[in-house]
Amino acid sequence: AVVSTQSTGAQFGSALDAATQSLLIRGVRLTELLKQGQYVPMDINEQVAVIYCGVRGHLDKIDPAKVTDFEKSFVAHMRTNLQDIIDDIKVTGQLTEANEAKLKDLEDNKETPKA
């Protein structure tokens, strides 16, 4: 029964168009990104920056098993080099266009930590 379920899933997956497959693949990474350790909640302001990376597709090429490693590295990088973004999110309660541009520059300049 397991084999038939897996083959049905494979057949279903191959019937999907590329855009839908990309969304499903991104969803797997976003799910991993949202997982938190028990008794280790992530600061909401840091979550905003991390989720931005996931939603914008910056994790699409990272193995889902390595998303947590990326997240830890990225938060450490933010705390060291971009604390102003975290502080600004805390004060304003939002990700401003200026801070969004800084996060985008991280990816464009390949400065985001690798998993």
Side-chain angles (χ1 to χ4, degrees), residues 8 13-16 18 21-22 31 38 43-46 62 76 79-80 85 88 95 105 110:
T8 302
S14 64
L16 297 174
Q21 287 179 351
S22 293
T31 300
Q38 188 174 8
D43 179 81
I44 188 70
N45 307 302
E46 293 171 349
I62 293 177
R79 289 176 182 163
T80 303
I85 293 175
D88 194 50
L95 182 61
D105 284 345
K110 304 298 180 208

PDB file of all heavy atoms in Angstrom, residues 8 13-16 18 21-22 31 38 43-46 62 76 79-80 85 88 95 105 110:
ATOM      1  N   THR A   8       1.663   6.998  -6.711  1.00  0.00           N
ATOM      2  CA  THR A   8       0.574   7.924  -7.033  1.00  0.00           C
ATOM      3  C   THR A   8       1.043   9.354  -6.814  1.00  0.00           C
ATOM      4  O   THR A   8       0.791  10.233  -7.634  1.00  0.00           O
ATOM      5  CB  THR A   8      -0.670   7.643  -6.164  1.00  0.00           C
ATOM      6  OG1 THR A   8      -1.073   6.304  -6.379  1.00  0.00           O
ATOM      7  CG2 THR A   8      -1.799   8.586  -6.494  1.00  0.00           C
ATOM      8  N   GLY A  13       2.827  14.461  -8.921  1.00  0.00           N
ATOM      9  CA  GLY A  13       3.859  15.495  -8.993  1.00  0.00           C
ATOM     10  C   GLY A  13       4.304  15.774 -10.412  1.00  0.00           C
ATOM     11  O   GLY A  13       4.545  16.913 -10.785  1.00  0.00           O
ATOM     12  N   SER A  14       4.400  14.739 -11.236  1.00  0.00           N
ATOM     13  CA  SER A  14       4.852  14.954 -12.602  1.00  0.00           C
ATOM     14  C   SER A  14       3.775  15.614 -13.460  1.00  0.00           C
ATOM     15  O   SER A  14       4.075  16.185 -14.501  1.00  0.00           O
ATOM     16  CB  SER A  14       5.297  13.638 -13.237  1.00  0.00           C
ATOM     17  OG  SER A  14       4.197  12.752 -13.331  1.00  0.00           O
ATOM     18  N   ALA A  15       2.516  15.535 -12.999  1.00  0.00           N
ATOM     19  CA  ALA A  15       1.430  16.156 -13.752  1.00  0.00           C
ATOM     20  C   ALA A  15       1.301  17.648 -13.462  1.00  0.00           C
ATOM     21  O   ALA A  15       0.590  18.353 -14.165  1.00  0.00           O
ATOM     22  CB  ALA A  15       0.112  15.457 -13.445  1.00  0.00           C
ATOM     23  N   LEU A  16       1.985  18.131 -12.444  1.00  0.00           N
ATOM     24  CA  LEU A  16       1.888  19.536 -12.069  1.00  0.00           C
ATOM     25  C   LEU A  16       2.781  20.388 -12.958  1.00  0.00           C
ATOM     26  O   LEU A  16       3.859  19.962 -13.378  1.00  0.00           O
ATOM     27  CB  LEU A  16       2.310  19.727 -10.611  1.00  0.00           C
ATOM     28  CG  LEU A  16       1.442  19.031  -9.573  1.00  0.00           C
ATOM     29  CD1 LEU A  16       2.069  19.196  -8.200  1.00  0.00           C
ATOM     30  CD2 LEU A  16       0.027  19.563  -9.584  1.00  0.00           C
ATOM     31  N   ALA A  18       5.327  23.585 -13.748  1.00  0.00           N
ATOM     32  CA  ALA A  18       6.551  24.008 -13.056  1.00  0.00           C
ATOM     33  C   ALA A  18       6.268  25.016 -11.945  1.00  0.00           C
ATOM     34  O   ALA A  18       6.871  24.960 -10.875  1.00  0.00           O
ATOM     35  CB  ALA A  18       7.543  24.578 -14.050  1.00  0.00           C
ATOM     36  N   GLN A  21       4.841  23.190  -8.942  1.00  0.00           N
ATOM     37  CA  GLN A  21       5.899  22.418  -8.296  1.00  0.00           C
ATOM     38  C   GLN A  21       6.817  23.327  -7.489  1.00  0.00           C
ATOM     39  O   GLN A  21       7.207  22.989  -6.375  1.00  0.00           O
ATOM     40  CB  GLN A  21       6.704  21.636  -9.336  1.00  0.00           C
ATOM     41  CG  GLN A  21       5.946  20.457  -9.895  1.00  0.00           C
ATOM     42  CD  GLN A  21       6.740  19.692 -10.944  1.00  0.00           C
ATOM     43  OE1 GLN A  21       7.801  20.130 -11.379  1.00  0.00           O
ATOM     44  NE2 GLN A  21       6.219  18.558 -11.364  1.00  0.00           N
ATOM     45  N   SER A  22       7.138  24.496  -8.025  1.00  0.00           N
ATOM     46  CA  SER A  22       7.986  25.456  -7.302  1.00  0.00           C
ATOM     47  C   SER A  22       7.334  25.908  -6.005  1.00  0.00           C
ATOM     48  O   SER A  22       7.997  26.029  -4.972  1.00  0.00           O
ATOM     49  CB  SER A  22       8.286  26.671  -8.172  1.00  0.00           C
ATOM     50  OG  SER A  22       9.085  26.317  -9.249  1.00  0.00           O
ATOM     51  N   THR A  31       7.828  25.425   5.765  1.00  0.00           N
ATOM     52  CA  THR A  31       7.412  24.608   6.904  1.00  0.00           C
ATOM     53  C   THR A  31       8.591  24.349   7.823  1.00  0.00           C
ATOM     54  O   THR A  31       8.477  24.470   9.048  1.00  0.00           O
ATOM     55  CB  THR A  31       6.796  23.277   6.417  1.00  0.00           C
ATOM     56  OG1 THR A  31       5.661  23.567   5.607  1.00  0.00           O
ATOM     57  CG2 THR A  31       6.379  22.401   7.583  1.00  0.00           C
ATOM     58  N   GLN A  38      11.516  23.245  21.184  1.00  0.00           N
ATOM     59  CA  GLN A  38      10.722  23.380  22.398  1.00  0.00           C
ATOM     60  C   GLN A  38      11.497  24.221  23.409  1.00  0.00           C
ATOM     61  O   GLN A  38      12.686  24.017  23.629  1.00  0.00           O
ATOM     62  CB  GLN A  38      10.413  22.004  22.979  1.00  0.00           C
ATOM     63  CG  GLN A  38       9.434  22.055  24.139  1.00  0.00           C
ATOM     64  CD  GLN A  38       9.027  20.661  24.601  1.00  0.00           C
ATOM     65  OE1 GLN A  38       9.584  19.666  24.166  1.00  0.00           O
ATOM     66  NE2 GLN A  38       8.059  20.606  25.473  1.00  0.00           N
ATOM     67  N   ASP A  43      12.759  35.171  18.535  1.00  0.00           N
ATOM     68  CA  ASP A  43      12.294  36.547  18.638  1.00  0.00           C
ATOM     69  C   ASP A  43      11.469  36.892  17.396  1.00  0.00           C
ATOM     70  O   ASP A  43      11.884  36.618  16.270  1.00  0.00           O
ATOM     71  CB  ASP A  43      13.512  37.472  18.744  1.00  0.00           C
ATOM     72  CG  ASP A  43      13.127  38.926  18.819  1.00  0.00           C
ATOM     73  OD1 ASP A  43      12.761  39.373  19.919  1.00  0.00           O
ATOM     74  OD2 ASP A  43      13.193  39.601  17.774  1.00  0.00           O
ATOM     75  N   ILE A  44      10.305  37.488  17.596  1.00  0.00           N
ATOM     76  CA  ILE A  44       9.394  37.790  16.491  1.00  0.00           C
ATOM     77  C   ILE A  44      10.043  38.700  15.452  1.00  0.00           C
ATOM     78  O   ILE A  44       9.808  38.557  14.256  1.00  0.00           O
ATOM     79  CB  ILE A  44       8.059  38.387  17.006  1.00  0.00           C
ATOM     80  CG1 ILE A  44       7.041  38.524  15.872  1.00  0.00           C
ATOM     81  CG2 ILE A  44       8.274  39.732  17.673  1.00  0.00           C
ATOM     82  CD1 ILE A  44       6.509  37.235  15.369  1.00  0.00           C
ATOM     83  N   ASN A  45      10.878  39.612  15.883  1.00  0.00           N
ATOM     84  CA  ASN A  45      11.524  40.543  14.957  1.00  0.00           C
ATOM     85  C   ASN A  45      12.519  39.822  14.055  1.00  0.00           C
ATOM     86  O   ASN A  45      12.659  40.156  12.881  1.00  0.00           O
ATOM     87  CB  ASN A  45      12.195  41.672  15.743  1.00  0.00           C
ATOM     88  CG  ASN A  45      11.210  42.315  16.698  1.00  0.00           C
ATOM     89  OD1 ASN A  45      10.175  42.806  16.287  1.00  0.00           O
ATOM     90  ND2 ASN A  45      11.501  42.252  17.985  1.00  0.00           N
ATOM     91  N   GLU A  46      13.191  38.817  14.612  1.00  0.00           N
ATOM     92  CA  GLU A  46      14.086  37.994  13.806  1.00  0.00           C
ATOM     93  C   GLU A  46      13.286  37.093  12.872  1.00  0.00           C
ATOM     94  O   GLU A  46      13.689  36.845  11.740  1.00  0.00           O
ATOM     95  CB  GLU A  46      15.001  37.172  14.711  1.00  0.00           C
ATOM     96  CG  GLU A  46      15.975  38.038  15.496  1.00  0.00           C
ATOM     97  CD  GLU A  46      16.740  37.283  16.559  1.00  0.00           C
ATOM     98  OE1 GLU A  46      16.404  36.108  16.862  1.00  0.00           O
ATOM     99  OE2 GLU A  46      17.685  37.876  17.117  1.00  0.00           O
ATOM    100  N   ILE A  62      18.082  25.469  -1.161  1.00  0.00           N
ATOM    101  CA  ILE A  62      18.675  24.859   0.026  1.00  0.00           C
ATOM    102  C   ILE A  62      17.937  23.557   0.322  1.00  0.00           C
ATOM    103  O   ILE A  62      16.711  23.502   0.282  1.00  0.00           O
ATOM    104  CB  ILE A  62      18.600  25.820   1.231  1.00  0.00           C
ATOM    105  CG1 ILE A  62      19.492  27.033   0.978  1.00  0.00           C
ATOM    106  CG2 ILE A  62      19.007  25.119   2.523  1.00  0.00           C
ATOM    107  CD1 ILE A  62      19.431  28.083   2.071  1.00  0.00           C
ATOM    108  N   ALA A  76      22.349  34.709  13.253  1.00  0.00           N
ATOM    109  CA  ALA A  76      23.646  35.143  13.819  1.00  0.00           C
ATOM    110  C   ALA A  76      24.233  36.273  12.971  1.00  0.00           C
ATOM    111  O   ALA A  76      24.748  37.265  13.517  1.00  0.00           O
ATOM    112  CB  ALA A  76      24.604  33.963  13.885  1.00  0.00           C
ATOM    113  N   ARG A  79      22.258  39.459  13.689  1.00  0.00           N
ATOM    114  CA  ARG A  79      22.603  40.031  14.999  1.00  0.00           C
ATOM    115  C   ARG A  79      23.953  40.738  14.964  1.00  0.00           C
ATOM    116  O   ARG A  79      24.147  41.758  15.626  1.00  0.00           O
ATOM    117  CB  ARG A  79      22.626  38.938  16.061  1.00  0.00           C
ATOM    118  CG  ARG A  79      21.258  38.414  16.412  1.00  0.00           C
ATOM    119  CD  ARG A  79      21.358  37.274  17.396  1.00  0.00           C
ATOM    120  NE  ARG A  79      20.035  36.728  17.717  1.00  0.00           N
ATOM    121  CZ  ARG A  79      19.849  35.553  18.282  1.00  0.00           C
ATOM    122  NH1 ARG A  79      20.888  34.793  18.603  1.00  0.00           N
ATOM    123  NH2 ARG A  79      18.626  35.136  18.539  1.00  0.00           N
ATOM    124  N   THR A  80      24.870  40.210  14.189  1.00  0.00           N
ATOM    125  CA  THR A  80      26.217  40.773  14.115  1.00  0.00           C
ATOM    126  C   THR A  80      26.301  41.965  13.170  1.00  0.00           C
ATOM    127  O   THR A  80      26.925  42.973  13.490  1.00  0.00           O
ATOM    128  CB  THR A  80      27.219  39.700  13.658  1.00  0.00           C
ATOM    129  OG1 THR A  80      27.155  38.608  14.564  1.00  0.00           O
ATOM    130  CG2 THR A  80      28.630  40.248  13.608  1.00  0.00           C
ATOM    131  N   ILE A  85      18.223  46.428  11.467  1.00  0.00           N
ATOM    132  CA  ILE A  85      16.972  45.967  10.859  1.00  0.00           C
ATOM    133  C   ILE A  85      16.083  45.349  11.929  1.00  0.00           C
ATOM    134  O   ILE A  85      14.888  45.654  12.006  1.00  0.00           O
ATOM    135  CB  ILE A  85      17.245  44.944   9.730  1.00  0.00           C
ATOM    136  CG1 ILE A  85      17.956  45.619   8.564  1.00  0.00           C
ATOM    137  CG2 ILE A  85      15.935  44.306   9.253  1.00  0.00           C
ATOM    138  CD1 ILE A  85      18.366  44.667   7.452  1.00  0.00           C
ATOM    139  N   ASP A  88      14.705  48.067  14.104  1.00  0.00           N
ATOM    140  CA  ASP A  88      13.701  48.862  13.405  1.00  0.00           C
ATOM    141  C   ASP A  88      12.363  48.116  13.318  1.00  0.00           C
ATOM    142  O   ASP A  88      11.305  48.718  13.491  1.00  0.00           O
ATOM    143  CB  ASP A  88      14.195  49.247  12.012  1.00  0.00           C
ATOM    144  CG  ASP A  88      13.349  50.327  11.381  1.00  0.00           C
ATOM    145  OD1 ASP A  88      13.106  51.363  12.051  1.00  0.00           O
ATOM    146  OD2 ASP A  88      12.908  50.153  10.227  1.00  0.00           O
ATOM    147  N   LEU A  95       8.203  45.523   8.430  1.00  0.00           N
ATOM    148  CA  LEU A  95       9.405  45.486   7.614  1.00  0.00           C
ATOM    149  C   LEU A  95       9.282  46.617   6.608  1.00  0.00           C
ATOM    150  O   LEU A  95       8.494  46.548   5.669  1.00  0.00           O
ATOM    151  CB  LEU A  95       9.534  44.133   6.899  1.00  0.00           C
ATOM    152  CG  LEU A  95      10.764  43.926   6.037  1.00  0.00           C
ATOM    153  CD1 LEU A  95      12.039  44.026   6.872  1.00  0.00           C
ATOM    154  CD2 LEU A  95      10.701  42.572   5.353  1.00  0.00           C
ATOM    155  N   ASP A 105      19.405  43.117  -0.762  1.00  0.00           N
ATOM    156  CA  ASP A 105      20.818  43.320  -1.098  1.00  0.00           C
ATOM    157  C   ASP A 105      21.692  42.190  -0.560  1.00  0.00           C
ATOM    158  O   ASP A 105      22.670  41.794  -1.205  1.00  0.00           O
ATOM    159  CB  ASP A 105      21.330  44.648  -0.548  1.00  0.00           C
ATOM    160  CG  ASP A 105      20.857  45.841  -1.355  1.00  0.00           C
ATOM    161  OD1 ASP A 105      20.383  45.647  -2.495  1.00  0.00           O
ATOM    162  OD2 ASP A 105      20.950  46.971  -0.840  1.00  0.00           O
ATOM    163  N   LYS A 110      25.052  38.013  -2.428  1.00  0.00           N
ATOM    164  CA  LYS A 110      25.440  36.678  -1.934  1.00  0.00           C
ATOM    165  C   LYS A 110      26.075  36.739  -0.544  1.00  0.00           C
ATOM    166  O   LYS A 110      26.986  35.998  -0.232  1.00  0.00           O
ATOM    167  CB  LYS A 110      26.383  35.979  -2.916  1.00  0.00           C
ATOM    168  CG  LYS A 110      25.813  35.852  -4.311  1.00  0.00           C
ATOM    169  CD  LYS A 110      24.561  35.022  -4.323  1.00  0.00           C
ATOM    170  CE  LYS A 110      24.001  34.905  -5.743  1.00  0.00           C
ATOM    171  NZ  LYS A 110      22.584  34.718  -5.795  1.00  0.00           N
TER     172      LYS A 110
END
